[in-house]
């Protein structure tokens, strides 16, 4: 039986991973699941999959569940996983949202033969640290973000020097063909036309910040220069990436708008008897009307940030993630407007206060986490002050 860990099992990616595993239950044994506060759902998951270990990071919810569950070990954090889990598991899905996923992702690498990472914030902020652990413990890595999984699956047999250009597609989110007015509610902004995802990534798709993050993510994972990446609007989200090679070949990667495709591939890849998920027929109607468009910078001003990204690994990537995380949080709490997200990111990351981090390399996990706390606090304070003015 394949031993499995899912970090963030109560989220959108976590739940889809469990659905795939449930269909082929006899082959798998779930060793550890985690949630922040959704103890109702994780209790169900414990029952369905007979899970022995879970982590509940929210302190109050942890205490509640610890009392209730008699036959399951309930832990408040991801510390000393070495002692909690014997040997190595076969597969881990890293699907906590936000930079909070970085520490658990780094800690789990030594305990797993393969890690599939959906948590893009941890790749953006801590890729150099993740990569070090992957090498040290000989852990195999598979990217799960659909664009990255697509690119990964077609460039394996090429040298990165042979790649001329890579296009990442973006649906354009709920406001592509609408005027972005004042007073947009969080509910309107999370209504993604093609994907059902967690709140944070849905807002990032509406501002297009998600694509900025994905370019940083791709640049790091594939170690390809920033200038080779482009964003292309593609409202149907059927094509995920286009890779143009120097030999003239162009690979266009399409799949249904279903995250179970990259997820199930990350679970089964390399196996003889794969339990394929049901995919739809090739959609020629969509292929006949792909409707690629260039990005309207006036509508999606965050795209200007591409010019600010550093070529080399720097702490500025953490600044970008943390400023955006906090602004999205403030928007979800209705403390700032939707349009403020883009304008404030631009102002904040260009301030000398934050731009100095372009020249600093990430050294360790604690430094990245401290910077995240600091940037979020500063963003919160500055946003509230400017609102009062
Ligand atoms: P969700 O918000 O749906 O789920 C997040 C998961 O992380 C939940 O289990 C949540 O627990 C847990 N969590 C949240 N905060 C904390 C914390 N502070 N400490 C520990 N656990 C926490 O997110 P998604 O599943 O949509 O996304 C997960 C990651 O995958 C993100 O980084 C996202 O960018 C990336 N991704 C997602 C895609 C998608 O289609 N959804 C596509 C590509 C990438 P609780 O339920 O208690 O809140
Ligand atoms: Mg994506």
């Amino acid at each position: 039986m394949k031993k499995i860990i899912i970090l963030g099992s109560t989220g959108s990616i976590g739940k889809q991973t469990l659905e795939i595993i449930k269909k082929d239950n006899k082959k798998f044994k779930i060793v550890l699941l985690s949630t922040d506060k959704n103890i109702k759902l994780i209790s169900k998951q414990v029952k369905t999959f007979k899970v022995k270990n879970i982590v509940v990071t929210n302190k109050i919810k942890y205490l509640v569940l610890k009392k209730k569950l008699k036959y399951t070990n309930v832990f408040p954090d991801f510390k000393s996983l070495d002692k909690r889990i014997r040997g190595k598991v076969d597969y881990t899905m890293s699907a906590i949202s936000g930079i909070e996923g970085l520490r658990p992702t780094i800690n789990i690498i030594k305990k797993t033969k393969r890690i599939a990472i959906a948590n893009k914030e941890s790749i953006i902020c801590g890729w150099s640290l993740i990569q070090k652990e992957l090498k040290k413990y000989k852990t195999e890595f598979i990217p799960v973000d659909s664009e990255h999984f697509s690119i990964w699956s077609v460039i394996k047999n090429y040298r990165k020097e042979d790649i001329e250009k890579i296009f990442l597609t973006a649906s354009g989110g709920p406001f592509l063909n609408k005027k972005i007015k004042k007073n947009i509610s969080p509910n309107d902004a999370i209504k993604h036309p093609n994907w059902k995802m967690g709140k944070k990534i849905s807002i990032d798709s509406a501002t297009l910040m998600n694509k900025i993050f994905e370019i940083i993510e791709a640049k790091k994972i594939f170690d390809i220069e920033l200038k080779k990446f482009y964003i292309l609007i593609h409202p149907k989200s059927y094509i995920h990436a286009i890779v143009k090679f120097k030999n003239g070949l162009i690979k266009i990667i399409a799949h249904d708008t279903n995250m179970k495709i990259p997820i199930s591939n990350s679970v089964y890849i390399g196996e003889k008897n794969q339990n394929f998920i049901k995919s739809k027929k090739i959609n020629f109607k969509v292929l006949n009307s792909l409707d690629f468009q260039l990005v309207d910078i006036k509508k999606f001003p965050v795209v200007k940030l591409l010019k600010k990204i550093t070529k080399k690994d720097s702490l500025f990537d953490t600044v970008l993630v943390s400023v955006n995380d906090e602004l999205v949080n403030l928007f979800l709490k209705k403390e700032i407007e939707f349009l403020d997200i883009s304008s404030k990111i631009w102002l904040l990351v260009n301030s000398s206060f934050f731009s100095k981090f372009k020249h600093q390399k990430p050294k360790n996990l604690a430094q990245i986490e401290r910077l995240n706390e600091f940037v979020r606090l500063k963003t919160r304070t500055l946003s509230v002050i400017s609102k009062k003015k």
Side-chain angles (χ1 to χ4, degrees), residues 18-202:
L18 279 176
E19 277 163 27
I20 291 164
I21 282 166
K22 199 174 173 188
K23 289 235 161 86
D24 204 6
N25 213 354
K26 281 185 197 142
K27 274 197 195 154
F28 299 104
K29 181 178 161 54
I30 310 271
V31 172
L32 178 93
L33 295 180
S34 92
T35 185
D36 181 36
K37 51 190 175 308
N38 195 345
I39 53 175
K40 198 172 163 194
L41 180 56
I42 207 164
S43 303
K44 268 193 196 161
Q45 294 175 341
V46 161
K47 223 172 158 186
T48 310
F49 296 96
K50 302 188 178 66
V51 184
K52 270 270 158 344
N53 306 294
I54 59 167
V55 175
V56 181
T57 41
N58 178 287
K59 283 190 187 119
I60 298 166
K61 302 286 180 186
Y62 158 74
L63 292 171
V64 173
L65 201 59
K66 180 132 184 84
K67 270 191 195 159
K68 270 194 191 158
L69 293 183
K70 285 188 188 132
Y71 306 105
T72 304
N73 302 315
V74 185
F75 302 106
D77 53 48
F78 296 91
K79 279 184 205 152
S80 35
L81 283 165
D82 302 46
K83 286 165 205 148
R84 292 172 192 175
I85 300 158
R86 269 197 288 148
K88 273 194 176 194
V89 300
D90 297 281
Y91 173 92
T92 297
M93 166 57 82
S94 156
I96 290 174
S97 59
I99 204 169
E100 284 77 9
L102 178 58
R103 183 172 284 272
T105 300
I106 289 186
N107 284 346
I108 213 80
I109 290 175
K110 60 173 85 63
K111 300 302 298 177
T112 185
K113 290 179 190 163
R114 175 183 291 175
I115 186 160
I117 306 185
N119 176 225
K120 59 185 84 189
E121 294 86 350
S122 68
I123 293 178
I124 296 165
C125 305
W127 179 245
S128 54
L129 311 178
I130 291 175
Q131 215 179 14
K132 220 163 128 189
E133 295 294 291
L134 292 173
K135 271 192 193 144
K136 187 170 172 190
Y137 296 101
K138 296 189 176 64
T139 302
E140 182 191 5
F141 160 73
I142 300 183
V144 175
D145 216 339
S146 66
E147 299 77 2
H148 305 73
F149 178 76
S150 297
I151 299 167
W152 177 84
S153 63
V154 299
I155 68 168
K156 274 190 265 177
N157 297 326
Y158 289 84
R159 296 180 317 153
K160 61 180 193 238
E161 296 78 27
D162 300 338
I163 294 167
E164 193 179 302
K165 277 180 182 178
I166 299 183
F167 291 89
L168 270 74
T169 60
S171 71
F175 306 124
L176 180 66
N177 298 314
K178 283 186 195 151
K179 203 164 178 262
I180 304 181
K181 291 187 244 155
K182 275 195 162 186
N183 302 324
I184 283 174
S185 71
N187 272 344
D188 287 338
I190 59 174
K191 272 184 209 141
H192 195 278
N194 307 326
W195 301 97
K196 221 173 159 290
M197 311 182 282
K199 279 186 191 168
K200 156 75 177 37
I201 183 172
S202 300

